[in-house]
Amino acid sequence: AKQKGKRRFMFYNNSMEALVKSNLSVELELNKALKNGELVLFYQPIVDLTTSKPIGFEALIRWQHPEKGLIFPDAFIPVAEQSNLITEIGYWVLEAACKALPNFPPHIHISINVSARQFMDPQLATRMKQIIYQYHATPNRITLEITETLLIENIEQVVSSLKNLRDFGLGISVDDFGTGHSSLSKLKVMPISTLKVDRAFIMDLPDNKEDKELTEAILVMAQKLQLKVVAEGVETAEQRDFLVANQCNFGQGYYFSKPVPLDHALAYTERILIK
Ligand code: C2E
Ligand code: CA
Ligand code: CA
Ligand code: CA
C-alpha cells in the first residue's frame, strides 16, 4: 500500500520521482552489498578523558563499494531506514561487532548504533540475544546507541525491548543527546546507562558561553541521575581540558582518532595501552 502511494505521488512531482527511483536503486544495491560482504565496520575509540586511554570503540558502518569506493553511512543508512533493510543491516552490525570483540582487551566494550525502526521488529531483543550467545560474546561488553526520539515516543514495545536487553547486560546509550526533546523525568525512568552529548554542544567550547553553560548543565544533571557521559566530536585539547575540568569522564572525536578499520583500531589500542 505504501509503495502504491509513492507511485501515485510520482505523477505530480518529477524531482520526487527521481528521488524515489534513486532510493529504490540504492536499496537494491545495498541489499546486494549486504549479501556480497561489501559492508564493513570502522571503529572509533571512546576514551577516558583524564588518561586518553580507550575504554571502548563505537562501530560505524561503511560501504566498500567495488566501483565507487568507500561510502559513508549518511548516503545509505537513511535509505535503509525506509524499509526493513535496516533490520537486516542491524543484525549484520551486531554480528560483526561480536566477531571483532575477542580481538580487543577484555575491559574494552563496543558500541553499535541501532535505528529507531529496528525496534519495530518484535523479535529484536530475542534475535540480538541469540546472536550474542552464538558468538559467546559478553553482554556487558556491548552497548547499544539509540536516539532520543525513541525515548520520546515511549512505545511500550520499545521500553520493554530496552529493559529486556538492559537486564541481559547490554549498555544503553542515548546518542546525539541534547538535539531532541527528551524530558528529565523520562531519562530517569528509561533503562539507560550513558548520555552521548552531541557534537553541536562540544564544537564551540570553551569560547561559546551558551554551549559552555548547556554542557555544564547536562554534566551536572547526568551526575545527579548517575549516568555516564561521553562528549562527542572532541577535536581540540582546549575542549578536552574544559570537559575534564567539568567532570566529564569520557570523550570521542578526531582529537583522539578518526574511525579506522579493525586492524588499525587494534594497533591503536595496543600502542596506547602499553604507554
Ligand atoms: P553518530 O552515531 O552520531 O556517529 C558519530 C559521527 O560523527 C560519525 O560519522 C563519526 O565519524 C563522526 N565524528 C566522530 N568524531 C568526530 C569529530 O571529532 N568531528 C567530526 N566532525 N565528526 C566526528 P559517520 O561514521 O559518518 O556516521 C554518521 C551517522 O551514521 C552516525 O552518527 C549514525 O547515526 C549513522 N550510523 C553509522 N553507523 C551506523 C550503523 O551501523 N547503524 C545505524 N543504524 N546507523 C549508523
Ligand atoms: Ca552513535
Ligand atoms: Ca552521535
Ligand atoms: Ca549523529
Side-chain angles (χ1 to χ4, degrees):
K2 204 173 159 201
Q3 214 53 21
K4 257 186 203 150
K6 272 185 189 168
R7 273 193 210 113
R8 210 177 309 130
F9 197 55
M10 276 162 42
F11 290 108
Y12 299 101
N13 185 328
N14 280 327
S15 68
M16 199 61 186
E17 177 176 355
L19 184 67
V20 170
K21 269 189 186 156
S22 90
N23 279 358
L24 271 178
S25 75
V26 170
E27 206 182 307
L28 287 174
E29 264 205 89
L30 193 50
N31 218 324
K32 260 197 319 196
L34 181 61
K35 287 180 180 114
N36 295 345
E38 292 169 20
L39 299 181
V40 286
L41 292 182
F42 273 37
Y43 294 87
Q44 186 180 35
I46 298 170
V47 308
D48 179 330
L49 288 173
T50 53
T51 62
S52 291
K53 291 186 178 177
I55 56 138
F57 284 82
E58 177 175 1
L60 294 152
I61 201 167
R62 307 284 182 257
W63 179 356
Q64 189 63 66
H65 194 286
E67 285 116 42
K68 295 175 193 156
L70 200 63
I71 305 177
F72 285 79
D74 289 340
F76 64 91
I77 288 294
V79 177
E81 283 174 338
Q82 288 168 28
S83 76
N84 281 333
L85 197 49
I86 193 64
T87 300
E88 292 316 309
I89 291 176
Y91 292 129
W92 177 86
V93 167
L94 177 60
E95 226 177 277
C98 286
K99 283 184 202 165
L101 204 50
N103 296 298
F104 287 99
H107 73 281
I108 296 281
H109 77 265
I110 295 181
S111 296
I112 62 169
N113 292 282
V114 184
S115 294
R117 185 171 174 134
Q118 291 177 247
F119 283 85
M120 284 165 62
D121 176 3
Q123 291 300 309
L124 181 76
T126 308
R127 273 196 66 186
M128 282 189 152
K129 289 201 239 177
Q130 272 168 358
I131 292 169
I132 291 164
Y133 277 128
Q134 189 187 338
Y135 289 94
H136 306 286
T138 312
N140 65 23
R141 293 184 67 197
I142 298 169
T143 294
L144 307 180
E145 298 196 359
I146 60 165
T147 53
E148 266 178 289
T149 33
L150 208 55
L151 301 185
I152 303 161
E153 287 164 4
N154 199 6
I155 310 162
E156 237 172 282
Q157 189 183 308
V158 171
V159 180
S160 102
S161 297
L162 280 177
K163 287 212 168 106
N164 191 333
L165 292 163
R166 192 262 328 255
D167 292 344
F168 184 59
L170 302 192
I172 313 281
S173 284
V174 180
D175 209 350
D176 306 337
F177 183 75
T179 58
H181 306 276
S182 55
S183 66
L184 296 184
S185 55
K186 200 143 278 170
L187 280 182
K188 215 178 139 187
V189 296
M190 293 304 276
I192 54 175
S193 45
T194 308
L195 299 181
K196 295 192 78 176
V197 182
D198 195 74
R199 189 169 73 88
F201 295 95
I202 311 300
M203 258 168 81
D204 299 324
L205 292 178
D207 303 324
N208 187 303
K209 196 164 165 281
E210 233 173 56
D211 290 347
K212 242 176 87 169
E213 281 164 6
L214 279 167
T215 305
E216 283 165 5
I218 293 173
L219 289 166
V220 169
M221 176 200 76
Q223 211 163 39
K224 292 227 163 93
L225 295 174
Q226 290 175 302
L227 296 170
K228 280 188 286 186
V229 177
V230 177
E232 296 194 291
V234 179
E235 294 186 352
T236 69
E238 290 72 30
Q239 291 166 350
R240 187 219 32 214
D241 292 345
F242 172 85
L243 291 163
V244 169
N246 286 280
Q247 279 82 48
C248 178
N249 300 124
F250 308 106
Q252 180 181 353
Y254 295 168
Y255 179 69
F256 304 102
S257 167
K258 288 196 169 180
V260 292
L262 178 64
D263 54 338
H264 287 67
L266 294 173
Y268 168 91
T269 308
E270 217 160 276
R271 202 168 61 242
I272 302 272
L273 289 181
I274 56 168
K275 257 195 224 162

